[in-house]
């Protein structure tokens, strides 16, 4: 056999090995999977460690149910023991940093274990496909350290962003600031006292991005029929910027608050709110009261969670 023939044979062998490596496979617990990229030498997650990954979730008809690439918000998930045989978590435990794979999970089993009805876009007897690209794996200590470093850097970025917004909108003579980085303009003063931690406040609000795009408003919220929302302030039910801002307002006051991302939704963002977003809130403190001891009055409704 000449050298050319040997090279051809080796090439065919390598190709066959590669095809075999990335073929559809099934685990002992019945999880079907296919690697797209896989590095046996890279770091794998241990139970309790935090995995960051992009996810494309599709139904059996190849319709996309979720795409974190489009959301620009990778999933961050603590790796836990698989809740059932053939679960998505079993697949995650197989992956290392940089790996990419698709896992096929029984829709019937998944929704039964979640104790939720099958949604209309998912058919009984089919599989959901989870295509994952692992970006990072961290211990809780590593995660906290990185979050702290990113938060410190973002605080400086937010301050410059807020300064620019104030200058562009000629608010320098009206603006008031707090040590935390919160800035606000009192548009209509109130009277009387201010709420304290644990009080139930009744507020109208409109939340906007700095470009003016409205992402939420009590006045157009079907959950509250356009009425003000009620919640207990100072007990962690809402974002820190709201806690601080509202507890310095007087009854009847209207103010525009500029909230840095660290006092809002931070690096994670929220529905309709990109990560690291400085937010604008027009807030009116309609009323407030002190609930009786042991009362459940003031559970929030119609507002994005903290």
């Amino acid at each position: 056999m000449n050298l050319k023939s040997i090279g051809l044979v080796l090439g065919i062998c390598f190709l066959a090995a590669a095809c075999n490596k990335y073929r559809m496979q099934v685990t002992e617990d019945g999880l079907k999977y296919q690697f797209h990229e896989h590095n046996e030498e890279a770091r794998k997650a241990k139970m309790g460690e935090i995995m960051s990954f992009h996810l494309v979730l599709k139904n059996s008809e190849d319709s996309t149910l979720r795409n974190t690439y489009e959301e620009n918000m990778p999933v961050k998930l603590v790796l836990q023991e698989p809740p059932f045989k053939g679960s998505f978590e079993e697949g995650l435990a197989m992956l290392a940093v940089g790996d990419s794979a698709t896992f096929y999970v029984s829709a019937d089993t998944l929704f039964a274990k979640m104790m939720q009805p099958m949604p209309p876009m998912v058919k009984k007897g089919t599989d959901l496909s989870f295509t994952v690209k692992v970006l990072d794996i961290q211990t809780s200590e590593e995660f906290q350290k990185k979050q702290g470093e990113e938060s410190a850097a973002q605080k400086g970025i937010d301050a410059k962003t807020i300064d620019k917004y104030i200058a562009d909108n000629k608010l320098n003579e009206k603006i008031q600031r707090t040590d935390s980085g919160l800035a606000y303009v009192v548009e209509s003063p109130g009277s009387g006292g201010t709420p304290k931690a644990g009080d139930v406040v009744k507020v109208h609000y409109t939340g906007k991005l700095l470009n003016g795009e409205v992402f939420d408003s009590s006045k157009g919220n079907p959950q509250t029929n356009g009425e003000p929302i009620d919640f207990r302030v100072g007990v962690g039910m809402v974002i820190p910027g709201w806690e601080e801002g509202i507890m310095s307002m007087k009854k009847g006051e209207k103010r525009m608050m500029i909230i840095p991302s660290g006092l809002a939704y931070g690096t994670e963002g929220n529905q309709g709110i990109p990560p690291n977003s400085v937010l604008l809130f027009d807030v009116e403190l309609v009323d407030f009261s002190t609930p009786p001891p042991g009362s459940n009055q003031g559970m929030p409704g119609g507002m994005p969670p903290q």
Side-chain angles (χ1 to χ4, degrees), residues 98-117:
D99 281 2
S100 177
T102 299
F103 303 102
Y104 299 88
V105 178
S106 165
D108 291 2
T109 304
L110 175 62
F111 286 99
K113 294 294 182 180
M114 293 171 61
M115 293 186 290
Q116 293 184 7

Side-chain angles (χ1 to χ4, degrees), residues 45-305:
K46 300 176 182 177
M47 292 298 157
E49 292 189 331
I50 299 158
M51 301 185 72
S52 300
F53 55 89
H54 272 302
L55 170 69
V56 178
L57 174 62
K58 294 185 177 183
N59 63 15
S60 60
E61 297 178 341
D62 207 37
S63 296
T64 301
L65 307 181
R66 185 179 182 189
N67 185 336
T68 63
Y69 292 99
E70 293 179 353
E71 297 170 6
N72 194 28
M73 193 182 301
V75 176
K76 289 182 173 61
L77 183 71
V78 176
L79 184 62
Q80 299 178 338
E81 293 290 343
F84 59 89
K85 291 184 177 181
S87 73
F88 174 56
E89 288 81 359
E90 179 186 350
L92 284 180
M94 300 163 60
L95 300 181
V97 174
D99 281 2
S100 177
T102 299
F103 303 102
Y104 299 88
V105 178
S106 165
D108 291 2
T109 304
L110 175 62
F111 286 99
K113 294 294 182 180
M114 293 171 61
M115 293 186 290
Q116 293 184 7
M118 193 85 71
M121 71 287 295
V122 178
K123 294 182 179 179
K124 291 184 177 181
T126 64
D127 291 335
L128 294 173
S129 69
F130 295 75
T131 299
V132 175
K133 172 69 175 180
V134 180
L135 305 176
D136 199 7
I137 293 171
Q138 300 166 297
T139 63
S140 59
E141 292 79 11
E142 291 169 337
F143 179 79
Q144 293 296 335
K145 181 181 178 181
K146 186 174 180 180
Q147 288 287 96
E149 292 170 349
E150 290 177 350
S151 295
Q154 189 62 40
K155 189 173 183 179
I157 295 170
D158 287 352
K160 292 179 180 179
T161 299
I162 291 172
D163 287 346
K164 184 177 186 305
Y165 182 87
I166 289 170
D168 289 348
N169 290 274
K170 299 179 174 57
L171 298 173
N172 289 290
E173 295 183 1
K174 301 178 181 179
I175 205 74
Q176 299 184 55
R177 300 173 185 262
T178 71
D179 292 341
S180 70
L182 175 69
Y184 64 92
V185 173
V186 176
E187 297 178 328
S188 178
S191 60
T194 58
K196 61 183 183 299
D199 283 352
V200 175
V201 297
K202 184 185 292 289
V203 301
H204 263 311
Y205 72 96
T206 298
K208 309 173 192 174
L209 303 179
L210 283 189
N211 62 9
E213 178 185 343
V214 175
F215 57 81
D216 194 15
S217 177
S218 60
K219 296 178 180 179
N221 194 322
Q223 294 183 43
T224 60
N225 296 316
E227 295 295 320
I229 66 166
D230 298 76
F231 62 93
R232 285 193 177 188
V233 73
V235 294
M237 287 185 172
V238 292
I239 58 175
W242 265 49
E243 300 273 42
E244 180 182 359
I246 290 173
M247 284 196 292
S248 65
M249 294 176 71
K250 295 181 178 181
K251 180 179 176 180
E253 181 181 326
K254 296 180 181 179
R255 70 168 56 172
M256 185 269 285
M257 297 193 292
I258 309 175
I259 301 180
S261 64
L263 299 178
Y265 296 101
T267 58
E268 299 301 314
N270 198 17
Q271 297 177 3
I273 302 172
N276 298 318
S277 292
V278 174
L279 302 180
L280 299 177
F281 278 99
D282 295 316
V283 179
E284 176 187 1
L285 179 56
V286 178
D287 199 0
F288 70 91
S289 61
T290 300
S295 170
N296 289 325
Q297 181 184 356
M299 294 301 291
M303 183 180 176

